[in-house]
Amino acid sequence: MNVVGYPTGGSRRALARTAAVGLLLAALLILLMLVRSAAPAAGRNLPTFLLDALGSATPAASLTRSPSDDVAVRITAGGYRVTLAGVGAVDVRFDGTTGPWTHFANGVSRPALFGHETIEIGSARAEQFLTVAAHQGSKTWRWHLASGALQPRLLRSGAVVFRRGSRITNLRLAPVRVLASDGTDVTPARARWSLQPDGHGAWWLVLRLNDRGLRLPYVIDPAVDYPSPLYLSSAATTESGSWRLVTTAPSAANTTTSTTPGSNATGYYLFHPGASVTGATNPNSTPTGTGWVQDLAGGASFPAGSWSFSFKTQVPGTTLVAGTAVLAVGVWKGTITGGAFHATQTILTPTPDPASQNIRAAIGTKTTTVTYSLPAFTLAANERLYLDVWRRQLTGINSATASARQVILVVNDGASKVVHPPAADPDVTAPVHAFGVANSTGGVYLPSPGGATGTVYYRGSAAGSFRLTDTATDAGSGVSSVTYPG
């Protein structure tokens, strides 16, 4: 809508779409932690976990890092820039700090009026932490997002996706999370990101928060995700007994996970991360708690569709003793509290390979891909994806030699992975605008129907005023808000 030369305002609708799983390849994680005392110099009075993550003070540490082959992170004077090959880049700058950085082995830190600003770069993500020294009351926190041709859009879930034209990229900002110092989710019910154009082609990421009701310290946790295939790693998770699903392909194979049934035994044998299982246990709809889990950012949605689970297995020895075995997979979503996984929904009850592919057809290693049709589901901000992997021994192995009955699950080398269906945007309906003027006095004219020309005409010599209105509708996700940028 134009007012003699003003730019057109459009609706900022919340596009309800399904996103790829909320894992971090090179993530922006902005954490706001309040502590009881001020931190006068970089590195002092930071949370213990942050000091551990930063590592030792390293004055010569580079401000440019490459967490993986397709991700580059560069720390700038105002914040940092993350570039994902083939997708684009997002420049993140917190609105409120200046000054030189103190360099550490794994990041940087500097004092701020409210406490500290810290950026930590790990193997799978880059994180920004704001350590605040006192309650702020009702405050608006802002981060400047410059993403070039990538356009951010806010979803109903509270996540922000980045689009290039009509295509949703693999760049996603997770919903707001507020955590207590022990990791408990204490997010206020109405805490939510908002996006505001800066008038120059970029955006502000805005959080309005009243912290008076929150106990100190607390953490605000948004994360920019770069979803990709999920690789079975040997990295520890916050869920005791499980290993992590990661989005960067690992390169150091781990062969400590295996199953060894007794002679001529049949049944289900769980691949327990880092252990050798000899006893059979029938699976059910309850997860074992000893599988693979993504315990980073949640808040993702998945469309119904075909999921592919590829597992690299190894049959040791030099002579094969016959005995058919197939894979079985179970998938859940749930929360992690006190080091334990608590399922909130069974996505796939443990099911044998529908194609009945024999993983013991020959000596040596092979990669078997098992495909299932999974229903649509959504991960809340505090929920995680979890899977159990089983060996189902269909016919017994007639051998007294344990190694002749053993099957090893090889992980952490990029071969064992999960590929989910591509993200889809179910909301392809553009909003319909119906502009008008209200409470008008003086000489005001709006062409009909609904201000189709996008221009309001008024007589400058006639005193008066008017209010612009837009009764916008959207048959897809609905209209979140309408703005009239100046």
Side-chain angles (χ1 to χ4, degrees), residues 143-233:
W143 293 262
H144 193 251
L145 301 180
S147 52
L150 302 179
Q151 294 296 305
R153 292 293 183 268
L154 182 65
L155 305 183
R156 281 180 175 175
S157 66
V160 175
V161 295
F162 288 80
R163 302 170 65 106
R164 183 183 294 275
S166 61
R167 182 177 68 90
I168 295 175
T169 71
N170 284 340
L171 175 62
R172 188 183 71 99
L173 178 64
V176 174
R177 285 201 308 157
V178 179
L179 308 176
S181 58
D182 62 357
T184 304
D185 194 325
V186 293
T187 307
R190 296 185 179 181
R192 184 178 175 87
W193 300 122
S194 63
L195 289 170
Q196 297 176 357
D198 71 350
H200 302 283
W203 296 82
W204 290 105
L205 176 70
V206 179
L207 174 64
R208 296 179 177 88
L209 182 68
N210 187 335
D211 65 10
R212 290 192 180 94
L214 296 174
R215 296 182 60 184
L216 301 177
Y218 70 83
V219 177
I220 298 176
D221 177 5
V224 171
D225 304 338
Y226 303 89
S228 67
L230 314 179
Y231 299 95
L232 276 67
S233 78

Side-chain angles (χ1 to χ4, degrees), residues 92 94 128 134 181 184 235 271 306 339 381 449:
V92 182
F94 176 67
Q128 183 182 51
S181 58
T184 304
F271 284 108
S306 179

Side-chain angles (χ1 to χ4, degrees), residues 99-119:
W101 296 106
T102 296
H103 297 219
F104 293 84
N106 301 318
V108 294
S109 187
R110 63 184 174 187
L113 292 177
F114 52 80
H116 267 86
E117 178 185 9
T118 303
I119 297 172

Side-chain angles (χ1 to χ4, degrees), residues 46-115:
L46 291 175
T48 300
F49 79 90
L50 185 50
L51 288 172
D52 292 341
L54 285 173
S56 60
T58 310
S62 174
L63 293 178
T64 300
R65 313 288 176 89
S66 296
S68 67
D69 291 341
D70 54 357
V71 176
V73 181
R74 177 171 176 77
I75 298 171
T76 65
Y80 65 96
R81 178 183 180 87
V82 180
T83 302
L84 179 61
V87 174
V90 174
D91 188 82
V92 182
R93 177 165 49 86
F94 176 67
D95 182 34
T97 52
T98 58
W101 296 106
T102 296
H103 297 219
F104 293 84
N106 301 318
V108 294
S109 187
R110 63 184 174 187
L113 292 177
F114 52 80

